[in-house]
Amino acid sequence: MKILITGGAGFIGSYLSEAFLERSQEVYVIDDLSTGRLENIKHLLKNPCFHFVNDTILNREVMLELTGICDVVVHLAAAVGVKLVIDEPLKSIHTNIAGTEIVLELANKFRKKTFLASTSEVYGRNSKVPLCEDDERIYGSTAVARWSYAATKAMDEFLALAYYRNKQLPVIVARFFNTVGPRQTGRYGMVVPRFVGQALRNEPLTIYGTGNQTRTFTYVGDVVQGIISLIDEPRAVGEIFNIGGDEEISINDLANRVKCLSGSSSPIEHIPYERAYQDGFEDMERRVPDIGKLKKWVGYVNTHDLDSMLIKIIEHERTR
Ligand code: UDP
């Protein structure tokens, strides 16, 4: 089987490529290396079953050829990270809307099963615990750049599900919650690689806001297994699934955990949101997924607790 992974040189995409190659499948990656990195996939480039195309999903001609070749499309290419979305809203909106339109239109043309990576951001500031797939989306004003990401990814979901309903295109939608692991960069705002980098450099750990906001973190290898098992499960077609962790932690506690596990003497600094991002920034107070559906349908399990994820990430950064 041949798999097309858009955004396959990104953090999650590179692990997914490895996993498909281990299953003796042929992998085609298209990535414009805007946030993806060659470094993530350089160990795969010599593998004859791995093919890398350095281009954007907005290039319809290239996408036409790749979609025709492959049996399954995994659409991961999207703007990543709160910081990037706020700094470059136009590019983010264009990639998420126009890019996904091309991916789905071509998948439909060739009738290829498509996995759409969505995000917990689509729930917006709904801080219900835990969040179920059919829970409400609560967004702030369009003047707040952050919500453009949630709105565009929600539109991607609507579009994918419309292709399923009107054209019977086999699509699967999964909402990733905060995913972590070695290779993730802190450049686009992600808290764990930022804290680990700061701790190892003995710089202050920068907590935005009060630090009482909470998140759950999932190990990237588990997310990859979740993706593969959903693609393998025929009943998953036309459905939405949360993929996420089950250990809720405040950002204050996370900072202390990173400090302790890395043996760092970094101080901890609280920074107001308006200084970290921009005026009027709105954060989510809590973000905990209900992963009951994923567990029930494909037997999903989280194999790593937070400490073991952090230890792996710290070790990886130390040896880099
Ligand atoms: N955060 C922080 N310091 C940082 C980066 C992020 O305190 O250097 C906070 C951020 O405000 C949010 C949480 O950590 O409350 C998770 O942020 P991230 O960008 O990783 O993911 P998301 O906001 O999408 O959950």
Side-chain angles (χ1 to χ4, degrees):
M1 197 159 73
K2 293 178 178 157
I3 318 283
L4 171 60
I5 306 179
T6 72
F11 162 56
I12 298 177
S14 63
Y15 282 93
L16 187 63
S17 298
E18 283 170 12
F20 277 125
L21 290 169
E22 272 161 30
R23 284 168 46 122
S24 304
Q25 279 152 357
E26 204 162 337
V27 174
Y28 288 76
V29 160
I30 179 164
D31 198 306
D32 64 1
L33 303 180
S34 52
T35 55
R37 290 185 298 175
L38 211 47
E39 196 190 326
N40 289 341
I41 52 165
K42 67 171 189 294
H43 58 296
L44 305 177
L45 292 173
K46 283 202 184 113
N47 188 326
C49 291
F50 183 77
H51 313 274
F52 172 57
V53 179
N54 181 355
D55 211 327
T56 163
I57 54 168
L58 296 165
N59 186 338
R60 195 176 175 283
E61 285 310 301
V62 173
M63 284 298 292
L64 180 80
E65 194 181 330
L66 291 172
T67 312
I69 293 171
C70 293
D71 304 294
V72 173
V73 180
V74 182
H75 180 35
L76 301 179
V80 290
V82 176
K83 190 170 166 1
L84 181 75
V85 169
I86 290 173
D87 291 346
E88 292 190 45
L90 195 56
K91 188 161 180 265
S92 306
I93 293 168
H94 190 53
T95 305
N96 289 1
I97 297 289
T100 301
E101 271 183 342
I102 290 173
V103 169
L104 289 169
E105 184 241 315
L106 294 174
N108 183 54
K109 181 179 172 71
F110 294 106
R111 311 297 303 161
K112 301 294 167 71
K113 189 179 219 182
T114 304
F115 178 97
L116 175 82
S118 186
T119 163
S120 57
E121 281 275 324
V122 298
Y123 293 107
R125 58 168 175 236
N126 184 349
S127 47
K128 173 180 170 277
V129 174
L131 287 161
C132 300
E133 286 83 353
D134 50 7
D135 277 333
E136 307 224 313
R137 298 174 295 122
I138 304 176
Y139 299 163
S141 156
T142 51
V144 179
R146 174 178 199 149
W147 302 121
S148 69
Y149 183 62
T152 57
K153 291 304 289 186
M155 188 47 70
D156 287 354
E157 292 192 14
F158 279 129
L159 195 60
L161 294 171
Y163 267 104
Y164 170 69
R165 284 178 196 133
N166 288 163
K167 310 274 187 189
Q168 292 74 52
L169 179 71
V171 298
I172 301 160
V173 176
R175 295 179 183 151
F176 299 167
F177 283 63
N178 300 65
T179 303
V180 297
R183 286 184 209 156
Q184 186 178 35
T185 165
R187 213 175 302 151
Y188 311 111
M190 280 77 162
V191 67
V192 167
R194 285 177 62 81
F195 281 179
V196 169
Q198 290 164 341
L200 294 181
R201 294 189 299 269
N202 284 319
E203 292 171 2
L205 270 64
T206 54
I207 295 178
Y208 302 158
T210 62
N212 293 326
Q213 68 271 31
T214 67
R215 294 293 186 269
T216 58
F217 296 93
T218 329
Y219 187 64
V220 61
D222 292 337
V223 172
V224 161
Q225 286 315 312
I227 297 171
I228 291 174
S229 50
L230 285 172
I231 291 171
D232 285 346
E233 173 53 65
R235 290 178 314 146
V237 164
E239 296 284 335
I240 302 173
F241 297 85
N242 287 335
I243 304 185
D246 28 37
E247 195 178 338
E248 185 181 12
I249 185 167
S250 73
I251 300 301
N252 284 327
D253 288 346
L254 176 71
N256 284 314
R257 204 82 82 86
V258 169
K259 257 191 79 163
C260 171
L261 291 171
S262 60
S264 167
S265 56
S266 290
I268 287 179
E269 194 182 317
H270 285 80
I271 297 180
Y273 287 122
E274 52 275 22
R275 190 138 63 82
Y277 296 111
Q278 59 181 210
D279 275 351
F281 178 82
E282 295 173 44
D283 201 1
M284 283 72 169
E285 272 309 296
R286 293 177 79 181
R287 191 188 260 164
V288 180
D290 183 328
I291 52 169
K293 184 174 176 186
L294 191 66
K295 284 182 174 170
K296 194 166 153 206
W297 286 48
V298 295
Y300 177 83
V301 274
N302 279 309
T303 61
H304 286 60
D305 62 15
L306 183 62
D307 279 2
S308 58
M309 293 184 237
L310 293 177
I311 288 166
K312 273 194 175 169
I313 297 164
I314 291 165
E315 284 314 307
H316 174 84
E317 285 306 310
R318 269 215 179 97
T319 54
R320 228 157 61 92

